[in-house]
Amino acid sequence: MGESILNNAKVTELYLYIVQHSDTDTEYWYGGISDVNSILTNFDRNDIEDLVNTLIKWRPQLLSNLSYALTADDDDRGLPAVRSYLYAHIFLILDNPELLNVIDDFDYLLNSDDMIFPLVPNVRRKLSEYDFLNYDRVAIGNCQVVLNKLNCR
């Protein structure tokens, strides 16, 4: 991961947790895992930005696992707007096949707040330009509906 992750103890804790459980099956992450979201409740705005700045260096599998955990837990105490913001960043980083693994949770973006607005044009662009051939057109259409709802806020 390099030195950048070591500059923030909270980011390091989250990263190490995800690495430690990286070989666990997808059901573990989708099962409403609250450990990841509990760690995130201790993050302040600077920690969130430090995390965002390191995500580009994470292995795709780790990003997918983080995405599953972010979107699995509906507990409001788990900062859904922040989790939505992080999910948007992960969406922008991932490519095939990992991107197809997380796109089904795209509606989680509706939990966002104004933090996400600067990302919406890039998300929209990736969704429209990315090669989603052989993927469910209804799912892609639903993603467009989510983006339209975000624009109406």
Side-chain angles (χ1 to χ4, degrees):
M1 170 51 36
E3 191 171 316
S4 62
I5 195 144
L6 300 176
N7 293 333
N8 185 312
K10 294 175 189 175
V11 172
T12 302
E13 176 188 13
L14 177 64
Y15 178 78
L16 291 176
Y17 179 85
I18 292 174
V19 167
Q20 179 182 6
H21 296 89
S22 65
D23 291 332
T24 310
D25 70 9
T26 305
E27 288 303 313
Y28 173 80
W29 298 102
Y30 267 132
I33 183 72
S34 60
D35 291 342
V36 167
N37 298 321
S38 292
I39 293 169
L40 285 174
T41 60
N42 296 316
F43 278 47
D44 62 25
R45 192 124 177 136
N46 291 330
D47 298 323
I48 295 297
E49 290 310 312
D50 285 348
L51 175 58
V52 164
N53 290 330
T54 66
L55 289 177
I56 193 77
K57 298 175 185 170
W58 289 31
R59 290 190 333 253
Q61 179 192 4
L62 299 179
L63 290 171
S64 294
N65 290 345
L66 176 57
S67 173
Y68 302 149
L70 293 171
T71 59
D73 194 349
D74 289 331
D75 186 349
D76 287 342
R77 292 172 295 153
L79 308 169
V82 168
R83 292 173 16 218
S84 178
Y85 176 72
L86 293 172
Y87 172 86
H89 279 283
I90 292 169
F91 180 84
L92 290 170
I93 294 168
L94 288 177
D95 288 314
N96 257 345
E98 293 82 11
L99 183 60
L100 295 178
N101 292 336
V102 303
I103 198 167
D104 288 331
D105 297 317
F106 198 83
D107 62 334
Y108 197 80
L109 290 176
L110 293 174
N111 292 302
S112 65
D113 61 11
D114 62 339
M115 280 176 57
I116 202 168
F117 291 139
L119 300 176
V120 170
N122 292 333
V123 170
R124 184 179 297 282
R125 188 172 18 266
K126 182 165 188 172
L127 190 62
S128 67
E129 294 175 357
Y130 200 81
D131 181 13
F132 284 105
L133 296 176
N134 299 322
Y135 195 73
D136 182 0
R137 286 285 160 204
V138 172
I140 300 304
N142 290 339
C143 294
Q144 294 292 353
V145 169
V146 168
L147 290 174
N148 290 340
K149 287 180 181 179
L150 287 173
N151 282 342
C152 292
R153 289 186 183 173

